Amino acid sequence: MRDPAAGAFASLARDAHGLTAAVDPAYAVAAARGHFPDEPLLPGSVLVELMAEAARGLYGGPARVAAVERAVFRRRVRPSERIVVVVRADGARHVEAVVRANDDEAAVGRLRFGPHA
Amino acid sequence: MTFPHPGAWLRHRGPALVVDGIDGWDGEVARCHGAAGDWTWSRILEGSAQTAGIACALGDEAWRSGAIVAEYRDVEVLAERHVGGVVFAARPERAVLGYRRCRTTATGLDGAPLLRGVVTLLPDRRPA
């Protein structure tokens, strides 16, 4: 099965601090389907998957998510918004992530990665 | 005890609703299941959150209009992918300032652990 967030990003930009990934609007609309019919929102689990997928871009290849140490959702994210994921490495195994929606800090997270089984 | 379809208490519909049925509630732990399929870890995480919402609704009618996830914490991803059915369990714990923290687990039908962690929910109060 294809990674669900593969192809989620319209662009990736690296700098000295990390990586910034802009979410493809078509991906966001598809990811919000059924969540919810009267108020489309990106599920928290999708935002976490986007953090992980952006982190894989930072690592430059496959990386297994071992843990979501913390993911805090500060506001609802609509698929119609401009959604950007910013990640930076914190050591060899951890990534700090921020999801911005129309420049608001919508979610933050800390993920731990492990070796592939 | 008979249980409603999960959609009775969750706003999720179509592909967003990953929990297929409520299997049990003993006053402390809710058990649900997801249908056989190809599960990614993030979809298992989503099922855990939906089961937590159902657990809150089973224990308190005030939670039966849906809930939103405020936080995931200490989530251990024990399987990146799983093929088959999934069994979810959720135990509501602390209630603080309207938030409800729930401890969740997900296993395969053979009991193999897939994911465990803590999800904190807030009753869904939709913006005007």
Side-chain angles (χ1 to χ4, degrees):
Chain A
M1 180 183 172
R2 196 163 168 261
D3 281 329
F9 302 124
S11 67
L12 297 171
R14 281 180 180 272
D15 61 22
H17 305 289
L19 181 144
T20 299
V23 176
D24 185 328
Y27 172 87
V29 169
R33 194 157 59 99
H35 185 280
F36 307 110
D38 56 343
E39 184 190 12
L41 300 171
L42 266 68
S45 60
V46 168
L47 296 180
V48 174
E49 177 61 53
L50 287 171
M51 293 178 186
E53 189 64 18
R56 292 188 187 99
L58 192 63
Y59 286 127
R64 183 179 70 81
V65 177
V68 178
E69 294 187 350
R70 193 164 184 230
V72 179
F73 306 104
R74 299 204 165 127
R75 77 157 176 81
R76 300 165 196 249
V77 177
R78 292 167 178 74
S80 57
E81 298 184 284
R82 187 177 65 254
I83 304 165
V84 172
V85 184
V86 181
V87 292
R88 67 172 183 83
D90 181 14
R93 292 278 181 88
H94 287 87
V95 167
E96 298 278 347
V98 176
V99 177
R100 297 189 188 282
N102 287 355
D103 297 326
D104 292 337
E105 189 173 275
V108 295
R110 179 174 173 83
L111 282 65
R112 187 176 78 243
F113 287 79
H116 268 280
Chain B
M1 187 177 182
T2 57
F3 303 104
H5 185 272
W9 293 336
L10 300 175
R11 293 173 65 196
H12 307 65
R13 293 295 181 267
L17 183 61
V18 305
V19 174
D20 269 6
I22 304 170
D23 301 315
W25 169 245
D26 62 3
E28 293 185 351
V29 178
R31 300 188 191 284
C32 299
H33 68 270
D38 199 344
W39 291 79
T40 60
W41 67 268
S42 58
R43 196 160 173 82
I44 295 170
L45 181 65
E46 177 64 29
S48 296
Q50 292 181 14
T51 300
I54 288 166
C56 291
L58 283 162
D60 185 345
E61 288 186 10
W63 285 81
R64 294 182 182 177
S65 297
I68 57 173
V69 177
E71 181 186 74
Y72 289 114
R73 180 185 284 272
D74 299 331
V75 175
E76 295 176 66
V77 178
L78 304 171
E80 272 196 303
R81 285 212 145 78
H82 171 72
V83 176
V86 180
V87 177
F88 299 99
R91 176 192 294 268
E93 296 185 338
R94 295 187 61 198
V96 178
L97 297 174
Y99 294 83
R100 199 69 188 268
R101 188 172 75 181
C102 300
R103 196 159 293 275
T104 69
T105 61
T107 64
L109 297 185
D110 60 356
L114 302 175
L115 183 145
R116 55 176 168 254
V118 177
V119 56
T120 300
L121 302 176
L122 192 62
D124 191 2
R125 292 192 178 88
R126 302 168 211 185

